Amino acid sequence: MMRRKAKGTAAERELLNMLWVNGWACVRAAGSGSQPHPCPDLLAGNRLRKLAIECKAERGLAKYLADEDINQIVEFASLFGAEPWIGIRFDKIGWYFIAPHDMNKTDKGYSADIHIVKRRGLSFVELIEEKKVLHQRL
Amino acid sequence: MMRRKAKGTAAERELLNMLWVNGWACVRAAGSGSQPHPCPDLLAGNRLRKLAIECKAERGLAKYLADEDINQIVEFASLFGAEPWIGIRFDKIGWYFIAPHDMNKTDKGYSADIHIVKRRGLSFVELIEEKKVLHQRL
């Protein structure tokens, strides 16, 4: 079993490569999570759109995120001029992308399970397709 | 005396902080220089502009860059939809920013000395000022 942090990094690298292969430029941010400034895990762009992505890998059926995780991706994306996305790689169904405001609010943060991401989120192909994400454009 | 790599990283961090203090969002890219994909040192943005910056620290009066350094920042910036900049922190005169095509071509790459960056480049204040960089906009 891969350790939690290594698994997160492997997921980030996988998504970074998927973006490059599909014609997007993408960087992994250094020191995400250990910085004084808000910071996404990945920052991707093409001539039309910029995506600030917080990446998570999840073995189970639901992902829980702290308020802080959501606040920092929203704050960064707003300042940078990018779309904020939470990218979750579920072992069972692969990558899904959900907008922060489409997650469920819990007492201590936010959550999204497999049903929610399928209903309110986007697959990778939908994410990188221009038309589907007009509601998220700045 | 600081080691070469530590000095480069310190310069990147300094510039990252200068950008945040002035209202820009900025990330340092992980694994810049050791990746299969082109990658800038810093990626900064606000609602109007995105900057892909290759950072260098220079004790002397001139900085030399390999063709590869210039090609990768130009390629990344073009794909991402950002302005490509070479940021050089000269010990003697501080930060200057020069567009790749404004550097001098040499046999093995490109160069810019203090006189060239002052004449063709921008100070930090000029870089982050909207009006001065219209010629660089995509």
Side-chain angles (χ1 to χ4, degrees), chain A residues 44-99:
Chain A
N46 65 17
R47 295 237 161 200
L48 294 173
R49 294 169 58 206
K50 314 292 174 239
L51 316 177
I53 309 173
E54 183 75 13
C55 292
K56 301 290 174 187
E58 176 58 44
R59 280 188 296 158
L61 301 175
K63 184 71 200 169
Y64 296 86
L65 286 163
D67 282 325
E68 199 187 319
D69 284 337
I70 298 293
N71 293 345
Q72 77 149 356
I73 191 80
V74 169
E75 187 189 344
F76 180 91
S78 166
L79 268 171
F80 188 89
E83 305 164 21
W85 289 100
I86 312 298
I88 312 171
R89 188 187 175 290
F90 289 98
D91 280 6
K92 288 198 168 52
I93 59 168
W95 283 102
Y96 271 83
F97 300 84
I98 185 163

Side-chain angles (χ1 to χ4, degrees), chain B residues 51 77 116 125 134:
Chain B
L51 316 177
I116 289 173
V125 170
L134 285 176

Side-chain angles (χ1 to χ4, degrees), chain A residues 17 28 30 37 46 50 80, chain B residues 17 28 30 37 46 50 80:
Chain A
N17 284 319
R28 283 181 61 227
H37 310 293
N46 65 17
K50 314 292 174 239
F80 188 89
Chain B
N17 283 320
R28 283 180 60 226
H37 309 293
N46 65 18
K50 314 291 176 241
F80 188 90

Side-chain angles (χ1 to χ4, degrees), chain B residues 12-13 16 21 31-32 46 48 55 57-59 67-68 82-83 93-94 113 115 117 120 122 125 130 134:
Chain B
E12 284 174 26
R13 292 213 168 107
L16 177 130
V21 167
S32 166
N46 65 18
L48 295 172
C55 293
E58 177 57 45
R59 278 188 297 158
D67 281 327
E68 199 188 320
E83 304 164 22
I93 59 168
D113 63 19
H115 304 295
V117 297
R120 302 183 199 158
L122 301 177
V125 170
E130 178 62 12
L134 285 176

